[in-house]
Amino acid sequence: MKRILVATDISNNSSAAVRFALQLALQWPVAITFLNVHNVTRPVGEIQRQLEQFVEEVRQQLAVTIADYSCVVINAFSVTETIMHYARKHRFDYICIGARGAGTIEKLIGTTTATLINQSTVPVIAVPASYQVAPIQHLLYASDLTNLEAELKQVVDVAQPLGATVDLVHVMGPAKPEFDLDDLQTTVRQISALKISVYIEAAIVEQNLAANLEQIIQRVQPSLLIMFTTQRSGFVRRLLFPSQCAGYTFIGSVPVLVFTKA
């Protein structure tokens, strides 16, 4: 059974992550822990009751029943460090958290969600505030075609228990070498028995990768986007070279699952 840590600040925006996790639990045997990390002086017991009520209200709105979940409240100074430490210590398979658009300063400094994507060793699911509950039936794997075999196996491991279809898309920039679509389709068939549709899309050069992906997503309407990111160490490197995966969470219209590249 997979274990999912849902980080929430008990706000309306963060309810999207709760909704997604509950939908996931309907399709996949998962154990869910809802975690609130705060650094205010209110009693932990009071926040615990608020968290439990918050989760229960969302559950009732969706009219779903889940058997295996718990609520945890931690008082700590650093929200992101505490989430990452708790996820590692208790061996969670995924961290699920809400994502919302941010202004220029927030993008430079980094939201909690972006920081988790850039630093967490546990895969992160970022769910936009606009997320509406629906069966997870179609996965879009955005690939740079490096480490394809290892990454595709991870994608299939997500798709199979959900009964979801998979599309692979490679966004090709003007400076990149051309890939032969037939060769790529053959390679994918050799890696996985799951039927996977493969697309190569030419990038719009005036747009970054996140904007190019969002245009593709508007066309193919996946339930979940899957990406792999190269994490950068050091504040300056993360500031100058932000993750494209983290960048997508500022504009994305669908949940995105981010793994760390091997």
Side-chain angles (χ1 to χ4, degrees):
M1 178 179 288
K2 295 293 184 181
R3 305 183 69 234
I4 299 177
L5 182 65
V6 181
T8 172
D9 60 3
I10 320 181
S11 68
N12 288 334
N13 278 324
S14 71
S15 68
V18 177
R19 294 196 300 272
F20 183 85
L22 293 176
Q23 175 60 46
L24 199 60
L26 291 177
Q27 298 182 236
W28 199 358
V30 295
I32 304 175
T33 296
F34 298 98
L35 173 67
N36 173 261
V37 180
H38 69 282
N39 54 13
V40 297
T41 56
R42 289 170 54 200
V44 170
E46 179 183 332
I47 299 177
Q48 178 79 27
R49 289 189 294 273
Q50 185 181 358
L51 175 60
E52 292 171 355
Q53 181 180 356
F54 175 72
V55 172
E56 181 61 17
E57 287 176 354
V58 176
R59 189 196 66 76
Q60 289 182 2
Q61 289 170 6
L62 301 180
V64 300
T65 301
I66 55 171
D68 198 351
Y69 81 93
S70 59
C71 294
V72 175
V73 173
I74 298 175
N75 188 311
F77 177 74
S78 173
V79 173
T80 51
E81 288 294 335
T82 303
I83 293 171
M84 289 189 290
H85 174 75
Y86 191 88
R88 290 193 304 268
K89 179 180 178 180
H90 296 279
R91 300 182 180 277
F92 281 89
D93 297 288
Y94 303 100
I95 297 170
C96 183
I97 188 168
R100 55 190 172 190
T104 303
I105 299 300
E106 287 174 295
K107 287 182 181 180
L108 287 174
I109 297 173
T111 63
T112 299
T113 304
T115 303
L116 286 172
I117 288 172
N118 286 326
Q119 298 183 30
S120 174
T121 56
V122 177
V124 176
I125 304 170
V127 186
S130 60
Y131 171 74
Q132 299 297 316
V133 171
I136 304 165
Q137 299 175 326
H138 180 198
L139 310 185
L140 179 64
Y141 162 41
S143 174
D144 63 3
L145 304 183
T146 63
N147 301 319
L148 182 60
E149 182 173 358
E151 291 183 5
L152 198 53
K153 287 180 179 178
Q154 288 179 272
V155 173
V156 170
D157 285 345
V158 175
Q160 286 183 325
L162 293 171
T165 59
V166 177
D167 286 351
L168 184 158
V169 63
H170 172 68
V171 180
M172 186 173 62
K176 293 183 179 179
E178 291 189 7
F179 291 90
D180 182 83
L181 181 58
D182 290 337
D183 288 346
L184 181 55
Q185 289 172 329
T186 299
T187 300
V188 169
R189 285 195 296 269
Q190 291 171 345
I191 294 172
S192 174
L194 187 69
K195 184 178 179 181
I196 298 172
S197 300
V198 180
Y199 304 94
I200 296 177
E201 298 275 345
I204 299 173
V205 294
E206 294 82 9
Q207 297 179 345
N208 61 18
L209 176 60
N212 274 280
L213 280 175
E214 181 58 20
Q215 288 198 334
I216 296 168
I217 284 165
Q218 291 299 321
R219 187 172 74 245
V220 303
Q221 296 292 303
S223 310
L224 178 68
L225 171 67
I226 299 181
M227 302 177 73
F228 289 74
T229 187
T230 301
Q231 295 179 332
R232 303 178 186 276
S233 60
F235 174 76
V236 173
R237 287 184 62 81
R238 291 195 297 271
L239 184 64
L240 296 178
F241 305 101
S243 162
Q244 292 282 4
C245 301
Y248 177 79
T249 67
F250 293 119
I251 66 169
S253 60
V254 299
V256 54
L257 166 57
V258 182
F259 291 96
T260 301
K261 269 190 172 295

